[in-house]
Amino acid sequence: MVAVHHRTVSVDGHDVFYREAGPADAPVLLLLHGYPSSSHMFRHLIPALADRYRVVAPDHLGFGRSSAPSTDEFDYTFEALAAVTGRFLSTLGIERYTAYVQDYGAPIGWRLALADPAAVTGVITQNGNAYEDGFVPSFWDGIWADGAERTDETRDALRPALGREAVEWQYTHGVPDPTTVDPDAWEHDLALLARPGQDDVQLDLFRDYATNRALYPAVHDWLRTSGVPVLAIWGRNDEIFAAAGASAFLEDSPEARVELVDGGHFLLESHLDEVAGTIRDWLADQA
């Protein structure tokens, strides 16, 4: 059985927790999680890939077991989270990697790629947008309104997204058989969201999300000019990032592999074997 290590490293005076497995000299897979999860979402995927790859999955600041400084102590923007992740990679001596991005992990991964394009040898995007296509209005309209208006009213309107019903929905919506999703996954997230100050952390990131859209033209140019291999594997029933977000990658990466799976936002919870198998096949084709 593959040994998964649970480690912490200091970056800019903050603890960054990460899970790591696989040979130290193997090609690196960097797994970047989304909201409201952490590297915990990759707990089953890591050992499934670590026989041939060095798999590294950090918790973003404010998530999981990494430090969660208050909003007075840290500027919770996607730019800041990406900067910490870049320094985390430097601390570990990781210079080249394939990035697996999901949800929030996508705008963090795009910023890393734009800062150091040669470092990214491949992209696996699992319900992680890089195009306007795929944003489901019923989910995003409130976030766009808060990003544009920046009032107490628009901010408070997003607070239900931090609650139990909304978090559980992210895990179960679009899943043909919700009993295949381990309830411990959302209970883990809810326990961490209940920490003092977490509402401010997450509401700041909701408000900042609109800044990610401004990056998209540069990301498209990078995809087009670099020819970086892309696997877009998507829960096609996701009502946050719809399947159109996966197909959109073909606009700038015409050789991208697009796989739409009969699942939801957190695809690894219900379709781990299918996702892991597809990733292994795709990575083998790149070798």
Side-chain angles (χ1 to χ4, degrees), residues 96-116:
R96 289 171 63 81
Y97 54 88
T98 292
Y100 178 125
V101 301
Q102 193 263 356
D103 190 87
Y104 277 11
I108 293 170
W110 307 148
R111 284 174 167 83
L112 293 174
L114 294 176
D116 188 2

Side-chain angles (χ1 to χ4, degrees), residues 45-235:
L45 182 65
I46 292 170
L49 300 175
D51 57 331
R52 298 183 184 178
Y53 305 96
R54 178 186 177 191
V55 189
V56 178
D59 289 351
H60 310 313
L61 287 195
F63 293 81
R65 298 185 63 84
S66 286
S67 294
S70 72
T71 54
D72 292 331
E73 300 168 299
F74 185 79
D75 184 22
Y76 282 94
T77 65
F78 288 91
E79 186 70 31
L81 293 181
V84 170
T85 306
R87 289 189 283 275
F88 164 80
L89 293 171
S90 296
T91 300
L92 267 61
I94 295 173
E95 298 178 348
R96 289 171 63 81
Y97 54 88
T98 292
Y100 178 125
V101 301
Q102 193 263 356
D103 190 87
Y104 277 11
I108 293 170
W110 307 148
R111 284 174 167 83
L112 293 174
L114 294 176
D116 188 2
V120 182
T121 59
V123 171
I124 302 164
T125 174
Q126 186 254 295
N127 299 73
N129 257 31
Y131 293 83
E132 293 292 335
D133 309 64
F135 286 114
V136 178
S138 59
F139 183 90
W140 289 97
D141 283 351
I143 292 174
W144 302 148
D146 184 51
E149 299 172 30
R150 295 177 173 261
T151 67
D152 290 343
E153 290 76 12
T154 58
R155 183 179 175 91
D156 287 342
L158 298 177
R159 289 186 182 276
L162 307 176
R164 170 173 292 277
E165 182 177 354
V167 171
E168 184 173 340
W169 174 85
Q170 287 203 40
Y171 279 93
T172 59
H173 81 277
V175 181
D177 181 0
T179 67
T180 62
V181 180
D182 183 353
D184 287 349
W186 65 74
E187 294 295 344
H188 176 271
D189 294 351
L190 286 165
L192 292 170
L193 283 172
R195 292 176 296 176
Q198 268 291 301
D199 54 346
D200 289 329
V201 168
Q202 302 305 335
L203 291 169
D204 277 6
L205 287 171
F206 288 170
R207 179 165 287 184
D208 190 63
Y209 197 93
T211 66
N212 299 325
R213 302 164 81 185
L215 290 180
Y216 288 172
V219 174
H220 303 162
D221 183 66
W222 166 66
L223 292 170
R224 189 169 53 251
T225 58
S226 69
V228 62
V230 174
L231 168 62
I233 185 162
W234 224 263

Side-chain angles (χ1 to χ4, degrees), residues 234-269:
W234 224 263
R236 70 183 180 202
N237 307 323
D238 190 357
E239 294 179 26
I240 301 172
F241 298 111
S247 301
F249 281 89
L250 294 169
E251 296 176 21
D252 297 294
S253 299
E255 302 301 317
R257 179 173 174 181
V258 177
E259 298 284 347
L260 302 180
V261 180
D262 189 19
H265 188 66
F266 282 109
L267 196 56
L268 296 177
E269 295 298 328

Side-chain angles (χ1 to χ4, degrees), residues 1-7 17-23 26-33 37-59 88 100 268-269 272-273 275-277 279-280 283:
M1 186 173 181
V2 173
V4 178
H5 302 274
H6 304 82
R7 296 176 167 136
F17 172 85
Y18 64 103
R19 302 169 196 254
E20 181 176 19
V28 174
L29 297 180
L30 175 67
L31 311 183
L32 299 175
H33 69 82
S37 191
S38 62
S39 64
H40 183 260
M41 69 170 281
F42 300 119
R43 64 199 181 281
H44 301 308
L45 182 65
I46 292 170
L49 300 175
D51 57 331
R52 298 183 184 178
Y53 305 96
R54 178 186 177 191
V55 189
V56 178
D59 289 351
F88 164 80
Y100 178 125
L268 296 177
E269 295 298 328
L272 173 71
D273 289 346
V275 175
I279 289 173
R280 291 176 70 92
L283 287 169

